Amino acid sequence: LPRLFTEKMTSLLLVFLLAVGGYAAPRLESYSVDPSSVSVSGFSSGGCFAVQFHVSFSASLCGAGVSAGVPYWCAQLGLEHAMIDCMTVPSLIDVQKLVEATEFAYATGTIDNPSHLSKDRVFLFSGSNDTVVHPGVMRKVQDYYQFFVSAGSMAAMFSIPAEHSMVTDGYGNSCGLLSSPYINNCSYSTAYHLLQHIYQNLTLAKADIHLDANLLEFDQSEFTFPTAGAISMDSIGYVYVPTACKNSSTVCRLHIAFHGCTQGREHLSSLYPLHAGYGTVAEANNIIVLYPQAVSSLYNPKGCWDWWGYTGVDYAVKTAPQMRAVKSMLDRVLGTHTCI
C-alpha cells in the first residue's frame, strides 16, 4: 500500500509540474561511444536536414540514410525553390550547381571538407507512390552523392509502393495511405535497412525487442541559442539508450534520427521514436539513437527542420542554429561537448 501511494503521488506531482510549466527534462548524458561510428538519417524534412548535417559535419560522421529528402542546399535561398524544384519538379534541380555550392561552402570554411564523404556509406529510400516529394528528387540526391561517395558505398531502394511516409515492417497506416502520423506499414523496415547498410553485419531481431523504458527525455534547451523556441526547436528531445549501453564498459554506436514535419513531440508525443523502426535494431545492436525535436513557429507552422532558410540564410552550414544545436548534442553523448 505505501508503494502504491508513493507511485500515485509521484504521478500526480509530475502532472502538476507539467501543468504549471515547472517540469525540467533531465540533462543529456554522455556514454561510451565509438566516435568513428556516428551516423544520421531522416525522413522528409528530416531527410533534407540529414543530408545537410552529413555534408556539413562529414568529418564527424560515417554515413547517412535519407528518406524522401533533397540534395544539399536544394532550396538555395527561398521557399519557392523548396516547394517547386525540390519537391515536385526534379528536372529543375541543377545538381552541378549544388556540388559547386558545396565546394564553395568548404572554401569559405563553413562546412567540413567534402572529401570526408568518400569514406561514408549512404542509403537512399523513396516510395514509388510518394505524392509529396517526387521520387525523381531522391534520384537527384543519388546524383549529388555520386560526386563525393564511391558507388560501392551507396545503396538505394526506390521500388516500394509507399506514399510519403517513414516505412516500417509492421506498424502504421497502409502502405499507400497519405495521412498522419506518416508512418506506413509496407512490410519493409527502412530503419533496419539503412542502419544495416551503414554499419553492416547487424543482428536482425526476430521480435520487437526495444524497451519503452529505454527511451529517455532530455533537455534540448541547453544546446540552443538564444532559446529553443527562437530556432523552432522543442525544449525536450528523446534518446534511446539500449540496455547494454547503460554500462560504461560497453562501447556503443550513435545514430541521429530526424523526424519529418508534424512528427515531432508537439504533434505525436513519443510515437515517432517508439514506432519509426529504429528501436528494435538499436536494442539488438547497441546503437544509441538520438531523436532531436523540432517544433512549429511563425515561419515553420508544421514543425519541420530548417532546410529552406526560415532560421536564416546560413541554415545549411555548421554555424546554423539548428545545426549547431544538434552537433552539440552529438558532442555531449560522446563526452566532448563544451558550452555554446
Side-chain angles (χ1 to χ4, degrees):
L1 184 59
R3 180 182 177 184
L4 291 174
F5 177 77
T6 300
E7 291 177 349
K8 184 175 181 180
M9 290 303 295
T10 300
S11 297
L12 289 173
L13 178 60
L14 178 59
V15 170
F16 172 75
L17 289 173
L18 287 169
V20 300
Y23 171 70
R27 178 182 186 272
L28 179 63
E29 298 296 330
S30 299
Y31 298 92
S32 180
V33 172
D34 176 359
S36 69
S37 72
V38 183
S39 61
V40 295
S41 70
F43 161 67
S44 196
S45 76
C48 305
F49 198 81
V51 171
Q52 65 191 41
F53 194 87
H54 183 210
V55 172
S56 293
F57 294 106
S58 58
S60 300
L61 302 174
C62 69
V66 185
S67 176
V70 303
Y72 180 78
W73 205 61
C74 185
Q76 301 175 48
L77 297 176
L79 188 58
E80 182 178 355
H81 278 298
M83 298 297 293
I84 300 176
D85 307 22
C86 304
M87 295 180 67
T88 58
V89 191
S91 60
L92 296 178
I93 299 174
D94 185 344
V95 172
Q96 181 62 47
K97 180 178 180 179
L98 303 182
V99 169
E100 292 171 358
T102 304
E103 294 169 343
F104 177 79
Y106 168 61
T108 57
T110 54
I111 67 170
D112 289 344
N113 191 332
S115 65
H116 291 296
L117 294 169
S118 64
K119 63 178 173 50
D120 290 358
R121 297 181 65 79
V122 174
F123 183 87
L124 309 175
F125 180 91
S126 176
S128 61
N129 291 332
D130 193 325
T131 61
V132 176
V133 177
H134 191 290
V137 174
M138 280 300 297
R139 296 191 181 277
K140 292 290 186 174
V141 177
Q142 187 175 40
D143 292 344
Y144 171 84
Y145 268 119
Q146 284 175 345
F147 277 87
F148 304 105
V149 179
S150 63
S153 296
M154 282 202 298
M157 173 53 72
F158 296 153
S159 62
I160 303 294
E163 245 293 4
H164 189 69
S165 60
M166 181 63 185
V167 167
T168 73
D169 182 11
Y171 181 87
N173 301 324
S174 61
C175 194
L177 184 65
L178 180 65
S179 180
S180 182
Y182 303 101
I183 300 175
N184 286 8
N185 176 13
C186 300
S187 300
Y188 179 91
S189 174
T190 305
Y192 168 74
H193 283 91
L194 70 87
L195 290 171
Q196 167 63 19
H197 178 73
I198 293 170
Y199 294 121
Q200 306 178 74
N201 302 314
L202 295 185
T203 297
L204 176 59
K206 295 182 179 180
D208 188 2
I209 63 168
H210 85 276
L211 305 175
D212 290 4
N214 286 349
L215 183 68
L216 311 174
E217 292 185 347
F218 70 91
D219 178 15
Q220 282 195 159
S221 62
E222 68 167 306
F223 303 104
T224 58
F225 181 83
T227 65
I231 61 171
S232 210
M233 288 186 68
D234 203 324
S235 61
I236 293 175
Y238 295 105
V239 59
Y240 185 86
V241 184
T243 303
C245 298
K246 296 177 181 180
N247 186 331
S248 61
S249 65
T250 302
V251 179
C252 297
R253 296 159 168 152
L254 173 62
H255 184 75
I256 305 172
F258 298 105
H259 63 75
C261 304
T262 71
Q263 289 184 318
R265 188 180 76 99
E266 71 169 329
H267 295 281
L268 301 178
S269 186
S270 59
L271 188 148
Y272 188 84
L274 287 175
H275 296 293
Y278 294 95
T280 299
V281 190
E283 184 68 27
N285 295 280
N286 298 339
I287 303 171
I288 295 171
V289 185
L290 185 68
Y291 297 95
Q293 299 291 296
V295 293
S296 58
S297 58
L298 179 62
Y299 298 106
N300 177 34
K302 294 187 177 182
C304 307
W305 289 99
D306 187 10
W307 63 277
W308 68 88
Y310 66 77
T311 61
V313 296
D314 66 344
Y315 69 94
V317 299
K318 294 195 292 183
T319 55
Q322 290 183 354
M323 300 274 279
R324 187 173 63 235
V326 176
K327 179 57 164 60
S328 295
M329 296 175 200
L330 183 165
D331 291 340
R332 169 64 62 75
V333 174
L334 267 58
T336 58
H337 171 68
T338 56
C339 294
I340 295 175

Coordinates of all heavy atoms in Angstrom, one line a residue, residues 66-127:
V66 N 18.8 8.5 -46.0 CA 17.9 9.6 -46.5 C 16.6 9.0 -47.1 O 16.7 8.3 -48.0 CB 18.6 10.5 -47.5 CG1 17.7 11.7 -47.8 CG2 19.9 11.0 -47.0
S67 N 15.5 9.4 -46.5 CA 14.2 9.0 -47.0 C 13.4 10.2 -47.4 O 13.1 11.1 -46.5 CB 13.4 8.2 -45.9 OG 12.1 7.8 -46.4
A68 N 13.0 10.3 -48.6 CA 12.2 11.5 -49.1 C 12.8 12.8 -48.8 O 12.2 13.7 -48.4 CB 10.7 11.4 -48.6
G69 N 14.1 12.9 -49.0 CA 14.9 14.1 -48.8 C 15.2 14.8 -50.1 O 14.7 14.5 -51.2
V70 N 16.2 15.8 -50.0 CA 16.6 16.5 -51.2 C 18.1 16.7 -51.1 O 18.7 16.5 -50.1 CB 15.9 17.9 -51.2 CG1 14.4 17.8 -51.2 CG2 16.4 18.8 -50.1
P71 N 18.7 17.0 -52.3 CA 20.2 17.3 -52.2 C 20.6 18.5 -51.4 O 19.7 19.3 -51.1 CB 20.5 17.5 -53.7 CG 19.3 17.0 -54.5 CD 18.1 17.2 -53.6
Y72 N 21.8 18.5 -51.0 CA 22.3 19.6 -50.2 C 22.1 21.0 -50.9 O 22.3 21.1 -52.0 CB 23.9 19.4 -50.0 CG 24.5 20.5 -49.1 CD1 24.4 20.5 -47.8 CD2 25.2 21.6 -49.8 CE1 24.9 21.5 -47.0 CE2 25.7 22.6 -49.0 CZ 25.6 22.6 -47.6 OH 26.2 23.5 -46.8
W73 N 21.6 21.9 -50.1 CA 21.3 23.3 -50.5 C 20.3 23.4 -51.7 O 20.3 24.3 -52.4 CB 22.6 24.0 -50.8 CG 22.5 25.5 -50.6 CD1 22.2 26.2 -49.5 CD2 22.7 26.5 -51.7 NE1 22.2 27.6 -49.7 CE2 22.5 27.8 -51.1 CE3 23.0 26.4 -53.0 CZ2 22.6 29.0 -51.8 CZ3 23.1 27.6 -53.7 CH2 22.9 28.9 -53.1
C74 N 19.4 22.4 -51.8 CA 18.5 22.4 -52.9 C 17.6 23.6 -52.9 O 17.3 24.2 -54.0 CB 17.6 21.1 -52.8 SG 16.5 20.9 -54.2
A75 N 17.1 24.0 -51.7 CA 16.2 25.2 -51.7 C 16.9 26.5 -51.9 O 16.3 27.5 -52.1 CB 15.5 25.2 -50.3
Q76 N 18.3 26.4 -51.8 CA 19.1 27.6 -52.0 C 18.6 28.7 -51.0 O 18.8 28.5 -49.8 CB 19.1 28.1 -53.5 CG 19.6 27.0 -54.4 CD 19.5 27.3 -55.9 OE1 19.9 28.4 -56.3 NE2 19.0 26.4 -56.6
L77 N 18.1 29.8 -51.5 CA 17.7 30.9 -50.5 C 16.2 31.2 -50.6 O 15.8 32.4 -50.5 CB 18.6 32.1 -50.8 CG 20.1 32.0 -50.6 CD1 20.8 33.2 -51.0 CD2 20.4 31.6 -49.1
G78 N 15.4 30.2 -50.9 CA 14.0 30.6 -51.0 C 13.0 29.4 -50.9 O 13.3 28.3 -51.3
L79 N 11.8 29.7 -50.4 CA 10.8 28.7 -50.2 C 10.3 28.3 -51.6 O 9.8 27.2 -51.8 CB 9.6 29.3 -49.4 CG 8.5 28.3 -49.0 CD1 9.1 27.1 -48.2 CD2 7.5 29.1 -48.2
E80 N 10.3 29.2 -52.6 CA 9.9 28.8 -53.9 C 10.7 27.7 -54.5 O 10.1 26.7 -55.1 CB 10.0 30.1 -54.9 CG 9.4 29.8 -56.3 CD 9.5 31.0 -57.2 OE1 9.8 32.1 -56.7 OE2 9.2 30.9 -58.4
H81 N 12.0 27.7 -54.4 CA 12.8 26.6 -54.8 C 12.4 25.3 -54.1 O 12.3 24.3 -54.6 CB 14.3 26.9 -54.6 CG 14.9 27.8 -55.7 ND1 15.0 27.4 -57.0 CD2 15.5 29.0 -55.6 CE1 15.6 28.3 -57.7 NE2 15.9 29.3 -56.9
A82 N 12.2 25.5 -52.8 CA 11.9 24.3 -51.9 C 10.6 23.6 -52.4 O 10.6 22.4 -52.5 CB 11.8 24.8 -50.5
M83 N 9.6 24.4 -52.6 CA 8.3 23.9 -52.9 C 8.2 23.4 -54.3 O 7.4 22.4 -54.6 CB 7.2 24.9 -52.7 CG 7.1 25.4 -51.2 SD 6.6 24.1 -50.1 CE 5.0 23.7 -50.6
I84 N 8.9 24.0 -55.3 CA 8.7 23.6 -56.7 C 9.9 22.7 -57.1 O 9.6 21.5 -57.3 CB 8.6 24.8 -57.6 CG1 7.4 25.7 -57.2 CG2 8.5 24.4 -59.1 CD1 7.3 27.0 -58.0
D85 N 11.1 23.2 -57.2 CA 12.2 22.4 -57.7 C 12.4 21.1 -56.8 O 12.5 20.0 -57.4 CB 13.5 23.2 -57.7 CG 13.4 24.5 -58.4 OD1 12.3 25.0 -58.6 OD2 14.4 25.0 -58.8
C86 N 12.4 21.3 -55.5 CA 12.9 20.3 -54.6 C 11.8 19.3 -54.2 O 12.2 18.3 -53.6 CB 13.5 20.9 -53.4 SG 14.8 22.1 -53.7
M87 N 10.6 19.5 -54.6 CA 9.5 18.6 -54.2 C 8.7 18.1 -55.3 O 8.3 16.9 -55.3 CB 8.6 19.3 -53.1 CG 9.3 19.6 -51.8 SD 8.2 20.4 -50.6 CE 7.1 19.1 -50.2
T88 N 8.5 18.9 -56.3 CA 7.6 18.5 -57.4 C 8.1 18.4 -58.8 O 7.6 17.6 -59.6 CB 6.3 19.4 -57.4 OG1 6.8 20.7 -57.6 CG2 5.6 19.3 -56.1
V89 N 9.2 19.2 -59.1 CA 9.7 19.2 -60.5 C 11.2 18.9 -60.4 O 12.1 19.9 -60.5 CB 9.4 20.5 -61.2 CG1 9.8 20.4 -62.7 CG2 8.0 21.0 -61.0
P90 N 11.6 17.7 -60.2 CA 13.1 17.4 -60.0 C 13.9 17.8 -61.2 O 15.1 18.0 -61.1 CB 13.1 15.9 -59.8 CG 11.8 15.4 -60.3 CD 10.8 16.5 -60.1
S91 N 13.3 17.9 -62.4 CA 14.1 18.3 -63.6 C 14.7 19.7 -63.4 O 15.7 20.0 -64.2 CB 13.3 18.2 -64.9 OG 12.2 19.1 -64.8
L92 N 14.2 20.5 -62.5 CA 14.7 21.8 -62.3 C 15.9 21.9 -61.4 O 16.5 22.9 -61.2 CB 13.6 22.7 -61.7 CG 12.4 23.0 -62.6 CD1 11.3 23.8 -61.9 CD2 12.8 23.6 -63.9
I93 N 16.2 20.7 -60.7 CA 17.3 20.7 -59.8 C 18.6 20.6 -60.6 O 18.8 19.6 -61.3 CB 17.2 19.5 -58.8 CG1 15.9 19.6 -58.0 CG2 18.4 19.4 -57.9 CD1 15.6 18.4 -57.1
D94 N 19.5 21.5 -60.4 CA 20.8 21.6 -61.1 C 21.8 21.0 -60.1 O 22.4 21.7 -59.3 CB 21.1 23.0 -61.5 CG 22.4 23.1 -62.3 OD1 23.2 22.1 -62.3 OD2 22.7 24.2 -62.9
V95 N 22.1 19.7 -60.2 CA 23.0 19.0 -59.3 C 24.4 19.6 -59.3 O 25.0 19.8 -58.3 CB 23.0 17.5 -59.6 CG1 24.1 16.8 -58.7 CG2 21.7 16.9 -59.3
Q96 N 24.9 19.9 -60.5 CA 26.2 20.5 -60.7 C 26.3 21.8 -59.9 O 27.3 22.1 -59.2 CB 26.5 20.8 -62.1 CG 27.9 21.3 -62.4 CD 29.0 20.4 -61.9 OE1 29.0 19.2 -62.2 NE2 30.0 21.0 -61.2
K97 N 25.3 22.6 -59.9 CA 25.3 23.9 -59.2 C 25.4 23.6 -57.7 O 26.0 24.3 -56.9 CB 24.0 24.7 -59.5 CG 23.9 26.0 -58.8 CD 22.7 26.8 -59.2 CE 22.5 28.1 -58.5 NZ 21.3 28.8 -58.9
L98 N 24.7 22.6 -57.2 CA 24.7 22.3 -55.8 C 26.0 21.7 -55.4 O 26.5 21.9 -54.2 CB 23.5 21.3 -55.5 CG 22.1 21.7 -55.9 CD1 21.1 20.7 -55.5 CD2 21.8 23.1 -55.2
V99 N 26.7 21.0 -56.2 CA 28.0 20.5 -56.0 C 29.0 21.7 -55.8 O 29.8 21.7 -54.9 CB 28.5 19.5 -57.1 CG1 30.0 19.2 -56.9 CG2 27.7 18.2 -57.0
E100 N 28.8 22.6 -56.8 CA 29.7 23.8 -56.7 C 29.4 24.6 -55.4 O 30.3 25.2 -54.8 CB 29.4 24.7 -57.9 CG 29.9 24.0 -59.2 CD 29.5 24.8 -60.5 OE1 28.8 25.8 -60.3 OE2 29.9 24.3 -61.6
A101 N 28.2 24.7 -55.0 CA 27.8 25.4 -53.8 C 28.5 24.7 -52.6 O 28.9 25.3 -51.6 CB 26.3 25.4 -53.6
T102 N 28.5 23.3 -52.6 CA 29.2 22.6 -51.6 C 30.6 22.9 -51.5 O 31.2 23.1 -50.4 CB 29.0 21.1 -51.8 OG1 27.6 20.8 -51.9 CG2 29.6 20.2 -50.7
E103 N 31.3 22.9 -52.6 CA 32.7 23.2 -52.7 C 33.0 24.7 -52.3 O 34.0 25.0 -51.6 CB 33.2 23.0 -54.1 CG 33.2 21.5 -54.5 CD 33.4 21.2 -56.0 OE1 33.3 22.2 -56.7 OE2 33.7 20.1 -56.3
F104 N 32.1 25.6 -52.6 CA 32.2 27.0 -52.2 C 32.1 27.1 -50.6 O 32.9 27.8 -50.0 CB 31.2 27.9 -52.8 CG 31.2 29.3 -52.4 CD1 32.2 30.2 -52.9 CD2 30.3 29.8 -51.4 CE1 32.3 31.5 -52.5 CE2 30.4 31.1 -51.0 CZ 31.3 32.0 -51.5
A105 N 31.1 26.3 -50.1 CA 30.9 26.4 -48.6 C 32.2 25.9 -47.9 O 32.6 26.4 -46.9 CB 29.7 25.5 -48.2
Y106 N 32.8 24.8 -48.5 CA 34.1 24.4 -47.9 C 35.2 25.4 -48.0 O 35.9 25.7 -47.0 CB 34.5 23.1 -48.5 CG 35.9 22.7 -48.1 CD1 36.3 22.4 -46.8 CD2 36.9 22.6 -49.1 CE1 37.6 22.1 -46.4 CE2 38.2 22.3 -48.7 CZ 38.5 22.0 -47.4 OH 39.8 21.8 -47.0
A107 N 35.2 26.0 -49.2 CA 36.3 27.0 -49.4 C 36.2 28.2 -48.4 O 37.2 28.9 -48.1 CB 36.2 27.5 -50.8
T108 N 34.9 28.5 -48.0 CA 34.7 29.6 -47.1 C 34.8 29.2 -45.6 O 34.5 29.9 -44.7 CB 33.4 30.3 -47.3 OG1 32.3 29.3 -47.2 CG2 33.3 30.9 -48.7
G109 N 35.1 27.9 -45.4 CA 35.2 27.4 -44.0 C 34.0 27.1 -43.3 O 34.0 27.0 -42.0
T110 N 32.8 27.0 -44.0 CA 31.5 26.9 -43.3 C 31.0 25.4 -43.2 O 30.1 25.2 -42.5 CB 30.5 27.8 -43.9 OG1 30.4 27.5 -45.3 CG2 30.8 29.2 -43.7
I111 N 31.7 24.5 -43.9 CA 31.4 23.1 -43.8 C 32.7 22.3 -43.8 O 33.8 22.9 -44.1 CB 30.5 22.5 -44.9 CG1 31.2 22.6 -46.2 CG2 29.2 23.3 -45.0 CD1 30.5 21.8 -47.4
D112 N 32.7 21.1 -43.3 CA 33.9 20.3 -43.4 C 34.3 20.0 -44.8 O 33.5 20.1 -45.8 CB 33.7 18.9 -42.6 CG 33.6 19.1 -41.1 OD1 34.0 20.2 -40.6 OD2 33.1 18.2 -40.5
N113 N 35.5 19.5 -45.0 CA 36.0 19.1 -46.3 C 35.1 18.0 -46.9 O 35.1 16.9 -46.3 CB 37.5 18.7 -46.3 CG 38.1 18.6 -47.6 OD1 37.4 18.3 -48.6 ND2 39.4 18.7 -47.7
P114 N 34.5 18.2 -48.0 CA 33.6 17.1 -48.6 C 34.4 15.8 -48.9 O 33.8 14.8 -49.2 CB 32.9 17.8 -49.8 CG 33.8 18.9 -50.1 CD 34.4 19.4 -48.8
S115 N 35.7 15.9 -48.9 CA 36.5 14.7 -49.2 C 36.2 13.7 -48.1 O 36.4 12.4 -48.3 CB 38.0 15.0 -49.3 OG 38.5 15.5 -48.0
H116 N 35.8 14.1 -46.9 CA 35.5 13.1 -45.9 C 34.3 12.2 -46.3 O 34.2 11.1 -45.7 CB 35.1 13.9 -44.6 CG 36.3 14.6 -43.9 ND1 37.4 13.9 -43.4 CD2 36.5 15.9 -43.7 CE1 38.2 14.8 -42.9 NE2 37.7 16.0 -43.1
L117 N 33.5 12.7 -47.2 CA 32.3 11.9 -47.6 C 32.7 10.6 -48.3 O 32.0 9.7 -48.4 CB 31.4 12.7 -48.5 CG 30.7 13.9 -47.8 CD1 30.0 14.8 -48.9 CD2 29.7 13.4 -46.8
S118 N 33.9 10.6 -48.9 CA 34.4 9.5 -49.7 C 34.4 8.2 -48.9 O 34.3 7.1 -49.4 CB 35.7 9.8 -50.3 OG 36.7 9.9 -49.3
K119 N 34.6 8.3 -47.5 CA 34.7 7.1 -46.7 C 33.3 6.6 -46.2 O 33.3 5.6 -45.5 CB 35.6 7.4 -45.5 CG 35.0 8.5 -44.6 CD 35.8 8.8 -43.4 CE 35.3 10.0 -42.6 NZ 33.8 10.0 -42.3
D120 N 32.3 7.4 -46.5 CA 31.0 7.1 -45.8 C 30.1 6.2 -46.7 O 30.3 6.0 -47.9 CB 30.3 8.4 -45.6 CG 30.9 9.3 -44.5 OD1 31.9 8.8 -43.9 OD2 30.4 10.4 -44.3
R121 N 29.1 5.6 -45.9 CA 28.1 4.7 -46.6 C 26.8 5.4 -46.5 O 26.4 6.0 -45.5 CB 28.1 3.4 -45.9 CG 29.4 2.6 -46.0 CD 29.4 1.3 -45.3 NE 28.4 0.4 -46.0 CZ 28.7 -0.3 -47.1 NH1 29.9 -0.2 -47.7 NH2 27.8 -1.1 -47.6
V122 N 26.1 5.4 -47.7 CA 24.8 6.2 -47.8 C 23.7 5.3 -48.3 O 23.9 4.6 -49.3 CB 25.1 7.4 -48.8 CG1 23.7 8.1 -49.0 CG2 26.1 8.4 -48.2
F123 N 22.6 5.4 -47.6 CA 21.4 4.6 -48.0 C 20.3 5.6 -48.4 O 20.0 6.5 -47.6 CB 20.9 3.7 -46.9 CG 19.8 2.8 -47.3 CD1 20.0 1.6 -47.9 CD2 18.5 3.2 -47.0 CE1 18.9 0.8 -48.3 CE2 17.4 2.4 -47.4 CZ 17.6 1.2 -48.0
L124 N 19.6 5.4 -49.5 CA 18.6 6.2 -50.0 C 17.3 5.5 -50.2 O 17.2 4.3 -50.7 CB 19.0 6.9 -51.3 CG 20.3 7.5 -51.4 CD1 20.7 8.0 -52.8 CD2 20.4 8.7 -50.4
F125 N 16.2 6.1 -49.8 CA 14.8 5.5 -49.9 C 13.8 6.5 -50.4 O 13.8 7.6 -50.0 CB 14.3 5.0 -48.6 CG 13.0 4.3 -48.7 CD1 12.9 2.9 -48.9 CD2 11.8 5.0 -48.6 CE1 11.6 2.3 -49.0 CE2 10.6 4.4 -48.7 CZ 10.5 3.1 -48.9
S126 N 13.0 6.0 -51.4 CA 11.9 6.8 -51.9 C 10.7 5.9 -52.2 O 10.9 4.9 -52.9 CB 12.3 7.6 -53.1 OG 11.1 8.3 -53.6
G127 N 9.6 6.2 -51.7 CA 8.4 5.4 -52.0 C 8.0 5.7 -53.5 O 7.9 6.8 -53.9

